[in-house]
Amino acid sequence: MTNRNVNVQPAAGRAVEDQEVEIVERKGLGHPDSICDGIAESVSQALAQTYLDRVGTVLHYNTDETQLVAGDAAPAYGGGEVQEPIYLLIVGRATKEYEGTKIPAETIALEAAREYLEENFPHLDVGTDVVVDVRLGEGSGDLQTVFGEEGSVPMANDTSYGVGHAPLTETEQIVLNVERRLNGEYSDENPVVGQDIKVMGKREGDQIDVTVAAAAVDEYVANLDEYRDAVADVREYAEGVAREYTDREVTVHVNTADDYDDGAIYLTTTGTSAEQGDDGSVGRGNRANGLITPNRPMSMEATSGKNPVNHIGKIYNLLSTEIAQSVVADVDGIRQLQIRLLSQIGSPIDEPHVADATVVTEDGVSVSDIEDEVEAAIDAELADVTDITRRVIDGELSTF
Amino acid sequence: MTNRNVNVQPAAGRAVEDQEVEIVERKGLGHPDSICDGIAESVSQALAQTYLDRVGTVLHYNTDETQLVAGDAAPAYGGGEVQEPIYLLIVGRATKEYEGTKIPAETIALEAAREYLEENFPHLDVGTDVVVDVRLGEGSGDLQTVFGEEGSVPMANDTSYGVGHAPLTETEQIVLNVERRLNGEYSDENPVVGQDIKVMGKREGDQIDVTVAAAAVDEYVANLDEYRDAVADVREYAEGVAREYTDREVTVHVNTADDYDDGAIYLTTTGTSAEQGDDGSVGRGNRANGLITPNRPMSMEATSGKNPVNHIGKIYNLLSTEIAQSVVADVDGIRQLQIRLLSQIGSPIDEPHVADATVVTEDGVSVSDIEDEVEAAIDAELADVTDITRRVIDGELSTF
Amino acid sequence: MTNRNVNVQPAAGRAVEDQEVEIVERKGLGHPDSICDGIAESVSQALAQTYLDRVGTVLHYNTDETQLVAGDAAPAYGGGEVQEPIYLLIVGRATKEYEGTKIPAETIALEAAREYLEENFPHLDVGTDVVVDVRLGEGSGDLQTVFGEEGSVPMANDTSYGVGHAPLTETEQIVLNVERRLNGEYSDENPVVGQDIKVMGKREGDQIDVTVAAAAVDEYVANLDEYRDAVADVREYAEGVAREYTDREVTVHVNTADDYDDGAIYLTTTGTSAEQGDDGSVGRGNRANGLITPNRPMSMEATSGKNPVNHIGKIYNLLSTEIAQSVVADVDGIRQLQIRLLSQIGSPIDEPHVADATVVTEDGVSVSDIEDEVEAAIDAELADVTDITRRVIDGELSTF
Amino acid sequence: MTNRNVNVQPAAGRAVEDQEVEIVERKGLGHPDSICDGIAESVSQALAQTYLDRVGTVLHYNTDETQLVAGDAAPAYGGGEVQEPIYLLIVGRATKEYEGTKIPAETIALEAAREYLEENFPHLDVGTDVVVDVRLGEGSGDLQTVFGEEGSVPMANDTSYGVGHAPLTETEQIVLNVERRLNGEYSDENPVVGQDIKVMGKREGDQIDVTVAAAAVDEYVANLDEYRDAVADVREYAEGVAREYTDREVTVHVNTADDYDDGAIYLTTTGTSAEQGDDGSVGRGNRANGLITPNRPMSMEATSGKNPVNHIGKIYNLLSTEIAQSVVADVDGIRQLQIRLLSQIGSPIDEPHVADATVVTEDGVSVSDIEDEVEAAIDAELADVTDITRRVIDGELSTF
């Protein structure tokens, strides 16, 4: 039915949802590592779009190396200030000239970074609180060729690996959504909550502990009482979110490192700890599905900032996640699905060397019952691999 | 017998050695990511030692953020040259003054980086081929306190996670040792081999494919014939190394991206691809055991450059590996052992919240046969946790 | 009549106006050196004002070292673009903490620089076309003390020298005003004229040649014909301005390096040559009176960015110019006046070691006729020395 | 006799030697501004030599923009240390590729800077005490063409100006030689004297005050007594030097800002105030003759780092000084000679638009007596203009 090397097999162990101890983490939008991921990916999208606009095809680039050097700040009730700016260095490779057409890669990168920061960090004054610098070199010569013909499937130029999972466990859903919604609808209404929100979930049996570290924005905090209220509000909101995803016991802790007696609270001027003491870089935080999941195999690849046309690690990490989600949505009886793709150098990327599906089925379902269905679904997704590239360029897929 | 929360359990699945497909990777000493890891850790050791010498205790610091921006080079048979230098930015936090004693953190960092580069990269002219810059800020206020009393066990200040494995599979041993010995005894005798050696191992059943990408140093290559000879020699040597660790079928591939007709070969002036087009940063490559092992759970933590006194992620990653190796060495009948340590905020780091040992036993051995022995061994190692810190500072433990 | 050491003497030679050959130059607002001067002085004003606001006195700082590294651009008829950004590094010293009050010197500097650029360079997109970075260290310890009591006259802490002249010669007036008015009323009406306008005046006998190099802004230039028209318009305008200041023969040349046949014209995207290839730094261009005048003694001191409270070179350069202008305005019969002030370390700055007035009188007037009047005028100006400081901080005095 | 536009005329005033007040300054080798001058010129020589070696002609470059950002240090009796490194940014333009030949301009610059520092600053640990970075962009397109034919005289591409004087006054000779010999034979024997030596000479009538600020190197100073001895030794030596050049009254002051009671002394670890608080840049200090001479017309041009083939300001400043010295050596009866050269855009540089010689003759000699001799000497020197370029590239001519 398919000439792709798709292999469906039962998982050897229990689904993560059924393991005794589970740990999940998410570094939110304003975490210094995530700031770097976000900028790297924004720069990548802007470059890819520019290449398409100007020369009709995406040229060689990689911008997955943004480095953030923390600043120094003096937050204060009612509004403090940044003393020494954050320094943000955009690093990578880009093609700056192609058949006579010049591509202003560095100014594009700066503009994309600035727009990203201004859109997502309302309390950060770009150019004053943060210096954005850039060093985009040319790549090595042999990589500067164009990527294949329009519409064709690129060849894998490296042995690389991607892994994806579905569905998310309850703990994973909680961790992901608590952060996203705090950084979405909640902070829209409550500007006291900054963008630097880190969520850790730990499940032992049926007890889930959710630990939230959320930066408060000093401008909206008049005194300690208001701070305590803000913390209590976050806790209450996060508990509400968590309960939408589980019937297990949930306890939410917020800003556990605070010491009210010592006056040690998580107050910031800009909404991120990057303002004082926390450096960051790309690929050090969330994996492509937005989470850090020590209970599951993970890829070490930094997905953000990589070229979505030819970086096989980026494509396979996003694609394996998409496949897993799609198969689980379409095929009944799956309790846990892991998709693993391994590239074959020199072969088209829609023909991976190995495409493993490892399944834990629901009670009463055997792998053989669903094997054909799963294979067909994987095959269909692989056939559509270039769609991933397009969606990444359009910013439809999150990479961190 | 022990009041630590040690838990020994059988693994749910097969040992990695017995799985159908296994992938292992190692970024060698001269890979841009490893260069950053190495510098970050050297700087860390130098700072820790200086703090001990000057104030008797290790103060707050973290130097796990070195960023490398690739240069531009024109390698050529007989010796080319670097056109634009590599830019290396050491980033992190350090305490610069403590009770009236000044600590020249930035000059210490520069000196440590330079010594590291000069010792390990004979073809790289530090100061000409590479610019080493530094930005070490002060940390956030509340972290600048001293770490406990001399000799006492520090408290965990974060929820973090470490994981270690033993023994290495054959493929892991091959990947690790091929790189180490190429970068050791082999390159001592054959300076044509540069430090940037990347090794990928893929085992399918009993067939192991080892793919080596090894930078040649142009000064020692007069023409294409000599290059081909050098590549052939590396292949032969690597095969010999591999056969020391397995009876399985082994095929070694070297520099597969070369295209002799196009003149596209892996020639460098300095022995590393950082000279042209390959950026790097800390924590993006090998895990604490020197490998990237998608078949095994891994920690996302960057181990290199972190403070070995209080960074619980660093300590637990190194410690869990040490425990696993030690237990496997001492206790018979273990085919695979995974140690996972989870910290408890506010508790001494020798009392982890969870210490899981997941065991695959040899045929004929049950977990219950060895459970007590394993527990006791883990307990003893945990009691000696501060020894890890000492050995890291002394440079006895590799972190990447 | 005065206890200050004021010395009025006849000049040995002819007034510059009467010399055979005279050369005068002005680097306009948008010249890379002037951009640095302008930013250095803006940062200085912002810091001084902040110190006054927060601690009631101006603390130690010097910001006279801004460095501009040119970008790379591709100007084009109708609008081109910057390819690689200008890099602007603000360098200097500043007091960052004083008796418990923190001063965010670096973010103040960044903000001042950005405001200056946005106000003066409408075609330059700050943050995209130019990266503004900052490195303000603390000064050496003994300089970090406060400057005297409120209202008192500071002591000179260096042997330094200032020199001022009045009145301007016709050529000087032409050079100064052609640039100022092109960069003022003219460019308000004619946005095609960029800010980078350099004016050179050469007078031989009664023939004045004015050479203007004026950057055109590509957005307002559709083709070569429009460019030629723009150049012709500038020439006509400049001639008109020149004729207001002289009855001598005047010839104006504009953009003499253009070669229409080769298509080599002075087209820019941002209005300044800093976008492509022209670096700049502080103190390399105009002297405190806005001109470079090889026919007159000049001070080497960089006036822009220096601390206006205690930097004796800055104060004396501005003050000597003020004195010269004031005396010439008040005392009849002076054809040329040069004021030279030399500080005395350890003495109040209103009591210079030497205050020389060198006079060329009008025909029929002898120095002795006006000596007392001149001395009295100088004495009065010196008594009011701290007013210079105030006016500098308020931005009332131009420094370049 | 000559078709060059050489004009010999009597000076309007007195020779500087005969004026009432004379001020002379020299910033020594280790002054932050001079460090920048020295590096800029070393880089220039290295680039010029490389262009000659590789393509047979000097290509477009200018490296006259080195910026030094001071470090932070803790000098101490017996040996202190640098806390934060000096940051040195080499800025400029260079041609990096010419007809297929690549020129590694940035690594050449780094190497030249390092060699210069290591040769001249024995107490400065390059790479640890000072970070040397580089940003050499390409120049603007139309300047990247080659400079004329081999051996031909280049055309002036700018209106520029050079001025030179001879002979030096006694005060000038004292200031120049006190610094040079302290930084030469004296410091060879007395390593306690650092390279940062600033000398100010002030003559009032026949009284010469020489003020020396000389950094002591802490490694060679065990205590305050040794420091006082070192200062006394410098004073004695400087007096001896001064007396070789004058019969006037000379008083030498050394390190007048010291305050022994407060422990405020001029102690450094590296021999330069750049280690703590004193920034520097090119062209802000000595003129091409090594001095700052407010009594004489000076050019504002930064001579160091400029391209010696086509930068007319650099060439004319050096040439006018050479001419003045040569004429004074060859022609009797000259008390003071000033040579001023003004370029003519588009004409060969050996045919300046104006070549003025302004002479003060000895008593009993009239200008007309020596006019022809002076004209002929100037004419001969001009004919040999390209020799200046060669000598600059060979490092035979000092530029600061």
Side-chain angles (χ1 to χ4, degrees), chain D residues 17 20 70 89 95 109 114 125 141 168 186 205 209 239 250 254 267 300 349:
Chain D
E17 192 73 276
E20 182 58 24
L89 182 61
T95 307
R114 192 172 58 168
D125 188 6
L168 295 184
Y186 187 81
D209 280 278
E239 276 171 6
V250 176
V254 179
L267 199 65
M300 282 296 117
I349 62 173

Side-chain angles (χ1 to χ4, degrees), chain A residues 54 74 81-85 87 96 102-107 110-111 114 125-129 131-134, chain C residues 54 81-85 87 96 102-107 110-111 114 125-129 131-134:
Chain A
R54 297 201 180 184
E81 64 194 358
V82 175
Q83 307 270 338
E84 295 183 21
Y87 176 74
K96 297 180 178 176
K102 289 200 165 186
I103 312 291
E106 295 204 333
T107 45
L110 289 172
E111 192 171 34
R114 193 173 55 166
D125 188 7
V126 182
T128 302
D129 296 338
V131 170
V132 184
D133 200 358
V134 61
Chain C
R54 296 201 180 185
E81 64 194 358
V82 174
Q83 308 268 340
E84 296 183 21
Y87 176 75
K96 298 181 179 176
K102 290 199 164 185
I103 311 291
E106 294 204 334
T107 44
L110 288 172
E111 192 171 34
R114 193 173 54 166
D125 188 6
V126 183
T128 302
D129 296 339
V131 170
V132 184
D133 199 357
V134 61

Side-chain angles (χ1 to χ4, degrees), chain B residues 86-397:
Chain B
I86 299 162
Y87 176 75
L88 228 157
L89 181 61
I90 302 169
V91 173
R93 305 288 118 192
T95 307
K96 297 180 179 177
E97 186 161 6
Y98 178 67
E99 293 185 354
T101 301
K102 290 199 164 186
I103 312 292
E106 294 204 334
T107 46
I108 288 168
L110 289 172
E111 192 171 34
R114 192 172 58 167
E115 283 176 4
Y116 179 80
L117 290 171
E118 288 178 345
E119 195 175 312
N120 289 288
F121 296 89
H123 313 297
L124 192 72
D125 188 7
V126 183
T128 302
D129 296 338
V130 53
V131 170
V132 184
D133 200 357
V134 61
R135 292 193 182 221
L136 292 184
E138 304 266 348
S140 51
D142 54 328
L143 287 172
Q144 286 186 44
T145 51
V146 206
F147 304 140
E149 293 302 300
E150 180 67 31
S152 72
V153 176
M155 300 293 145
N157 61 359
D158 202 356
T159 299
S160 196
Y161 170 92
V163 62
H165 310 272
L168 295 184
T169 64
E170 289 176 5
T171 310
E172 288 169 340
Q173 289 181 72
I174 290 168
V175 167
L176 189 65
N177 286 289
V178 162
E179 189 276 335
R180 286 209 175 144
R181 287 166 64 179
L182 278 172
N183 253 324
E185 61 178 29
Y186 188 81
S187 69
D188 288 350
E189 297 294 312
N190 300 274
V192 66
V193 174
Q195 285 65 48
D196 195 347
I197 298 169
K198 185 172 161 183
V199 184
M200 165 78 78
K202 174 164 61 80
R203 181 180 57 73
E204 294 193 70
D206 285 333
Q207 165 66 39
I208 300 174
D209 280 279
V210 178
T211 305
V212 178
V217 178
D218 59 9
E219 184 184 343
Y220 301 96
V221 183
N223 49 47
L224 184 55
D225 283 345
E226 286 193 18
Y227 177 82
R228 296 171 86 135
D229 291 348
V231 166
D233 291 348
V234 167
R235 181 163 44 230
E236 188 180 1
Y237 178 79
E239 276 170 6
V241 172
R243 294 225 172 79
E244 295 180 28
Y245 298 96
T246 189
D247 294 324
R248 286 166 165 140
E249 193 88 2
V250 176
T251 312
V252 175
H253 315 266
V254 179
N255 293 2
T256 52
D258 286 352
D259 183 332
Y260 293 159
D261 294 333
D262 283 7
I265 60 174
Y266 194 177
L267 200 64
T268 66
T269 295
T270 62
T272 167
S273 63
E275 73 179 32
Q276 188 170 25
D278 282 357
D279 309 306
S281 47
V282 177
R284 292 268 291 260
N286 309 325
R287 299 299 89 193
N289 68 348
L291 295 168
I292 300 170
T293 55
N295 289 59
R296 303 191 189 263
M298 293 180 281
S299 162
M300 282 297 117
E301 283 289 355
T303 299
S304 303
K306 289 271 169 59
N307 189 315
V309 171
N310 79 331
H311 195 281
I312 194 67
K314 176 170 193 159
I315 295 168
Y316 275 9
N317 273 313
L318 292 168
L319 181 61
S320 56
T321 302
E322 289 285 303
I323 291 176
Q325 290 168 350
S326 161
V327 170
V328 165
D330 294 347
V331 180
D332 290 332
I334 299 176
R335 180 147 182 81
Q336 176 175 297
L337 176 63
Q338 171 187 297
I339 301 292
R340 194 171 62 164
L341 303 174
L342 178 67
S343 68
Q344 172 87 315
I345 294 188
S347 296
I349 61 173
D350 65 342
E351 295 177 16
H353 182 58
V354 177
D356 270 333
T358 309
V359 190
V360 180
T361 51
E362 300 281 3
D363 287 347
V365 179
S366 75
V367 169
S368 57
D369 293 345
I370 58 171
E371 187 169 0
D372 289 354
E373 226 179 330
V374 170
E375 267 190 43
I378 293 174
D379 194 59
E381 288 283 332
L382 279 170
D384 212 21
V385 62
T386 54
D387 192 49
I388 288 284
T389 298
R390 187 196 56 72
R391 289 166 65 201
V392 166
I393 295 174
D394 291 351
E396 294 172 13
L397 286 181

Side-chain angles (χ1 to χ4, degrees), chain D residues 228-307:
Chain D
R228 296 171 86 136
D229 290 349
V231 166
D233 291 349
V234 167
R235 181 163 44 233
E236 189 179 1
Y237 177 79
E239 276 171 6
V241 171
R243 293 224 172 80
E244 295 181 28
Y245 298 96
T246 189
D247 293 326
R248 285 166 166 139
E249 193 88 2
V250 176
T251 312
V252 175
H253 315 266
V254 179
N255 294 1
T256 52
D258 286 352
D259 183 331
Y260 293 159
D261 293 333
D262 283 6
I265 61 174
Y266 194 176
L267 199 65
T268 66
T269 295
T270 62
T272 167
S273 63
E275 72 179 34
Q276 188 171 24
D278 280 359
D279 309 306
S281 47
V282 177
R284 292 268 291 260
N286 309 325
R287 300 297 89 193
N289 68 348
L291 296 168
I292 301 170
T293 54
N295 289 61
R296 303 192 190 261
M298 292 181 282
S299 162
M300 282 296 117
E301 284 289 355
T303 299
S304 302
K306 289 272 170 58
N307 190 314

Side-chain angles (χ1 to χ4, degrees), chain B residues 54 74 81-85 87 96 102-107 110-111 114 125-129 131-134, chain D residues 54 81-85 87 96 102-107 110-111 114 125-129 131-134:
Chain B
R54 297 201 180 184
E81 64 194 358
V82 175
Q83 307 270 338
E84 295 184 21
Y87 176 75
K96 297 180 179 177
K102 290 199 164 186
I103 312 292
E106 294 204 334
T107 46
L110 289 172
E111 192 171 34
R114 192 172 58 167
D125 188 7
V126 183
T128 302
D129 296 338
V131 170
V132 184
D133 200 357
V134 61
Chain D
R54 297 201 180 184
E81 65 194 357
V82 173
Q83 307 269 338
E84 295 183 22
Y87 176 75
K96 297 179 178 176
K102 290 199 163 187
I103 311 291
E106 294 204 334
T107 46
L110 289 172
E111 191 171 35
R114 192 172 58 168
D125 188 6
V126 182
T128 302
D129 296 337
V131 170
V132 183
D133 200 357
V134 61

